[in-house]
Amino acid sequence: MGKQIETACTYDCPDACALLVQKESGGVEIKGNPDHPITRGFVCKRIRKHVSRLASPNRITSPLLRHGSCFREITWDRALDMVAGALEHTLSNDPSGVIHVMGGGSLGVRKLLVEHFFHSLGPVTTLAGGVCDETGIAAQTADFGDCCGHDYTDLQNSNAIVLWGRNPSLTGIHLLPFIKEAQGRGARVVLIDLWKTPTAAHCDDFIRLAPGGDAWLALAVLKSLLDRGAWKSMDAIEGVDDLKSMLQDEALTVGVLAARAGVDEQSVFRLAKVYGQKAPVATFIGWGLQRRTAGGYSVRAIDALCALSGNVGIAGGGSNYNPGRLRGLDLSMLAKPRGDAIETPFFADMLNSRKRSAAGFIYINGSNPVTQFADSVGVKRALGAGSFVVVADAFLTDTARCADVILPSTLMLEEEHDAVGSYAHHFVSRVQRAMDPPRGVKEDVEIVRRIRKRLGLLSDPLLDDPTACIARMTRDWFSDAGMFCRNPRQPGIPFEEGFKTSSGKMKLVGRLSDRADEDPRYPLLLLSPKRREFEHSQMEPEEQTEPLVCEINPKARGAERLLDGQMASLTSPLGSLTVRVKFSKDLDSGVCVVAQGGWLMFGHAVNALVQQRATDLGQ
């Protein structure tokens, strides 16, 4: 039997699974570590496919230099000399012309050293905001002074669980066993979503709401509870009188609020019964509802419902969104950002507006902004507009094709001495190399260490010895040599001892938000859920040969002219995608659903239809 190596998953997934990698003469097998108290020995399809990703014939294993519209292989020495030369030239002229773009291609804390490298160079430009959970974090920080959550294990104390836009069957599957165990003890589970996701099969009740209806539903339930005198825990909350006054407006009935939410009054009363009589109620907020123009307001309205129903600061409760995967890390030794920032929602426009000369320098790692940022075509155009672009990646993605130089980088299981935290539960894990990378491939930190050396700068001990640096950063995480443990810096019961705001009180959301996504010219709202088999755009060309599928309700506006299975054009103000129609009677008639992650070069990038707009909080 071959050697078995313990490590952990660093994919952009909430579960941060503990893994066992078995290397045999015939290949590699990835299994879950059965000793991990959260992930419990089973893994998702994405991990099972990762072996083929590691051995893919499409991997880049040599630096590539642009040659017209093509690329040709060059040596590492020449590639690094060119990169360092372009970087040095830009730094000497205008450090703000250096732009670093890093995403969540790996959530290992080791990647923070790449950011550290660029921050250490001076006032370079980085990103502000993001494309994921930043709005919800900003919302909960405004409410509570912090964004943290209860561990999955706390569900043993819950009498009810509300999955508000959360779909653990697809995103965070290891939450499901804890939900089932709570159901076995009598807990009621309610799913609130735009359609019956696969998670609905595990729930006792399902409430379908309209797109953007989350805040209205939360306010409707608050109104119902207020009418029955069932608000609780008000002493440590600011803004109670203002919210109460708003909800006591005679024109703002439960029926009016329910209609705005797209639900019937009975759904409101059922949910009010849960929050009013089933305490403790654990609420899990998903990572989709905040990605709307009023997304921050929606999260804050749900927070208000959780707090005023007495379910914040108690075991088995919580308004659970993101416990903070980096909580407790010692980041004091890392260089801090000192320069300007590009707002991620407006990446294409702001990148274009910053062009001061042809000497700009853009370095991208762990990210595929052409497919993952708004206005894919605009991002591609902006990246090709004169700057020297360097992309560190393992595949020739849409973004890599915009580069002047591509540097082949390692993938998960090929990287050593790292650590990862979860953005859903409270456990952290060590990461170690389970496989050697292909010949010619280098790890991200090693790449920037070599670039720094070519710049003639003094040696950086953090880059020279990443293992020692990671040990320092995680010294408050791990007290022994074990591979995983509960993060001791995560609170047992968030806000049990008060809130982290300046006043020590929770701050309630204010007046109703009037921001809306609707455009009468385009009657459908595009939803882009994750795929079961792939993490974001980490797909390969042969996996994108079939037509892009668009699901719609056969009663949706315009659907009467379509047939199930036919090809059609899905159009937004930015352009069109060719899709195959798939009728789904379970969908709201106001939405269409296209899975995210497809590449622009194959006509599959849904963000080619998404305009550059920002949420109300968090950029």
Side-chain angles (χ1 to χ4, degrees):
M1 178 177 290
K3 184 179 180 182
Q4 181 171 269
I5 298 173
E6 291 188 73
T7 187
C9 176
T10 58
Y11 268 172
D12 182 8
C13 168
D15 285 355
C17 294
L19 303 177
L20 297 176
V21 181
Q22 187 79 36
K23 295 197 291 186
E24 305 281 358
S25 58
V28 176
E29 181 183 13
I30 305 175
K31 300 182 293 185
N33 190 329
D35 295 330
H36 194 282
I38 301 295
T39 59
R40 298 179 175 181
F42 67 96
V43 294
C44 66
K45 285 187 176 181
R46 302 179 187 101
I47 292 299
R48 293 198 292 272
K49 288 183 69 70
H50 188 69
V51 173
S52 61
R53 182 170 170 79
L54 291 167
S56 170
N58 296 315
R59 281 195 72 172
I60 303 170
T61 57
S62 176
L64 299 177
L65 174 66
R66 174 171 296 284
H67 187 71
S69 59
C70 303
F71 292 91
R72 58 185 174 88
E73 293 186 358
I74 58 174
T75 66
W76 267 104
D77 281 341
R78 185 180 179 198
L80 293 175
D81 285 344
M82 293 180 67
V83 171
L87 175 56
E88 184 174 37
H89 180 71
T90 306
L91 286 171
S92 64
N93 284 280
D94 179 6
S96 71
V98 175
I99 301 170
H100 179 220
V101 178
M102 188 171 84
S106 168
L107 297 186
V109 302
R110 189 182 182 98
K111 300 300 181 185
L112 298 177
L113 290 174
V114 181
E115 282 188 328
H116 159 78
F117 164 72
F118 282 98
H119 294 161
S120 73
L121 299 178
V124 304
T125 299
T126 52
L127 297 185
V131 295
C132 188
D133 55 3
E134 290 80 8
T135 292
I137 292 172
Q140 292 213 316
T141 302
D143 288 339
F144 305 128
D146 194 2
C147 181
C148 49
H150 295 237
D151 197 15
Y152 290 178
T153 56
D154 188 49
L155 287 179
Q156 64 185 334
N157 300 308
S158 303
N159 288 327
I161 302 166
V162 176
L163 302 173
W164 203 308
R166 191 79 157 247
N167 183 14
S169 290
L170 196 62
T171 308
I173 195 171
H174 293 86
L175 176 58
L176 285 178
F178 292 90
I179 290 174
K180 292 178 181 178
E181 290 167 11
Q183 281 179 310
R185 292 189 294 269
R188 184 169 181 79
V189 181
V190 180
L191 173 66
I192 301 169
D193 217 320
L194 303 184
W195 79 98
K196 275 192 174 181
T197 65
T199 297
H202 305 282
C203 299
D204 303 298
D205 192 8
F206 169 63
I207 296 175
R208 182 200 310 275
L209 76 170
D214 304 276
W216 298 102
L217 177 58
L219 293 172
V221 176
L222 277 168
K223 169 76 170 178
S224 176
L225 294 175
L226 179 62
D227 290 346
R228 293 190 285 129
W231 282 16
K232 305 172 185 175
S233 306
M234 290 181 278
D235 291 341
I237 301 177
E238 293 181 355
V240 173
D241 290 341
D242 288 343
L243 183 58
K244 184 182 293 186
S245 175
M246 181 183 75
L247 292 176
Q248 287 176 332
D249 186 326
E250 292 182 359
L252 209 60
T253 64
V254 169
V256 168
L257 291 167
R260 291 296 302 268
V263 304
D264 55 43
E265 288 188 58
Q266 288 305 310
S267 295
V268 173
F269 296 141
R270 291 202 317 274
L271 192 57
K273 186 176 181 180
V274 170
Y275 279 101
Q277 299 178 16
K278 295 286 186 180
V281 180
T283 302
F284 288 89
I285 303 173
W287 298 289
L289 63 92
Q290 86 285 356
R291 300 183 199 183
R292 301 293 168 200
T293 50
Y297 189 93
S298 294
V299 173
R300 296 197 68 188
I302 297 169
D303 288 347
L305 172 57
C306 293
L308 290 171
S309 62
N311 286 292
V312 172
I314 64 170
S319 184
N320 302 291
Y321 178 70
N322 185 329
R325 66 182 180 87
L326 302 181
R327 190 180 301 276
L329 279 185
D330 181 1
L331 305 178
S332 61
M333 73 284 290
L334 301 184
K336 305 299 186 292
R338 291 177 279 165
D340 295 336
I342 290 178
E343 296 178 30
T344 306
F346 304 103
F347 181 81
D349 285 351
M350 291 192 71
L351 189 59
N352 277 322
S353 69
R354 291 181 60 86
K355 299 295 181 188
R356 299 178 186 175
S357 68
F361 178 94
I362 303 173
Y363 191 97
I364 303 171
N365 68 289
S367 182
N368 187 5
V370 172
T371 67
Q372 297 295 288
F373 290 4
D375 187 4
S376 294
V377 174
V379 173
K380 178 182 177 182
R381 188 182 303 118
L383 288 174
S387 292
F388 189 88
V389 179
V390 181
V391 175
D393 208 324
F395 294 92
L396 201 57
T397 65
D398 287 312
T399 300
R401 288 180 179 273
C402 298
D404 295 285
V405 173
I406 304 172
L407 303 176
S409 58
T410 51
L411 294 172
M412 184 176 71
L413 302 185
E414 298 171 345
E415 300 172 346
E416 59 184 346
H417 302 303
D418 204 349
V420 64
S422 165
Y423 57 88
H425 58 74
H426 286 179
F427 278 73
V428 293
S429 296
R430 300 181 193 271
V431 176
Q432 59 181 344
R433 178 182 287 175
M435 299 178 62
D436 292 329
R439 184 182 179 89
V441 171
K442 299 189 185 302
E443 193 266 331
D444 281 307
V445 176
E446 174 63 13
I447 292 172
V448 297
R449 186 187 71 80
R450 294 188 179 210
I451 293 172
R452 181 181 178 87
K453 185 176 180 180
R454 280 169 165 77
L455 292 175
L457 301 175
L458 294 175
S459 177
D460 185 331
L462 303 187
L463 299 178
D464 291 343
D465 193 350
T467 300
C469 179
I470 299 300
R472 287 177 60 193
M473 290 168 61
T474 61
R475 59 190 170 191
D476 286 344
W477 278 10
F478 305 106
S479 59
D480 56 36
M483 287 300 294
F484 47 79
C485 65
R486 185 188 182 279
N487 183 349
R489 294 294 183 170
Q490 291 285 7
I493 302 175
F495 313 120
E496 183 182 29
E497 298 178 0
F499 300 103
K500 306 299 183 181
T501 59
S502 57
S503 65
K505 293 186 175 183
M506 180 192 172
K507 298 181 179 181
L508 285 182
V509 67
R511 304 299 297 178
L512 288 168
S513 172
D514 293 326
R515 303 190 72 189
D517 287 293
E518 293 83 2
D519 182 336
R521 299 172 300 164
Y522 300 88
L524 301 178
L525 181 68
L526 173 64
L527 305 177
S528 52
K530 280 187 151 186
R531 299 172 188 252
R532 191 175 296 277
E533 299 86 358
F534 309 106
E535 192 65 32
H536 301 308
S537 64
Q538 295 178 354
M539 307 165 65
E540 296 196 53
E542 57 268 25
E543 294 162 333
Q544 302 179 71
T545 57
E546 296 296 320
L548 197 61
V549 173
C550 176
E551 295 185 61
I552 60 170
N553 189 304
K555 294 183 179 180
R557 182 175 163 186
E560 68 277 359
R561 301 190 301 272
L562 301 172
L563 297 174
D564 191 31
Q566 82 169 82
M567 304 304 294
S569 179
L570 183 65
T571 304
S572 83
L574 285 186
S576 298
L577 290 180
T578 300
V579 297
R580 184 184 298 281
V581 174
K582 181 180 179 180
F583 284 152
S584 176
K585 295 180 180 179
D586 194 53
L587 287 179
D588 185 283
S589 61
V591 305
C592 60
V593 179
V594 182
Q596 57 128 299
W599 293 11
L600 183 65
M601 68 182 79
F602 302 118
H604 284 199
V606 292
N607 277 323
L609 303 180
V610 177
Q611 296 167 279
Q612 297 178 74
R613 292 187 293 175
T615 53
D616 50 352
L617 294 172
Q619 295 178 299

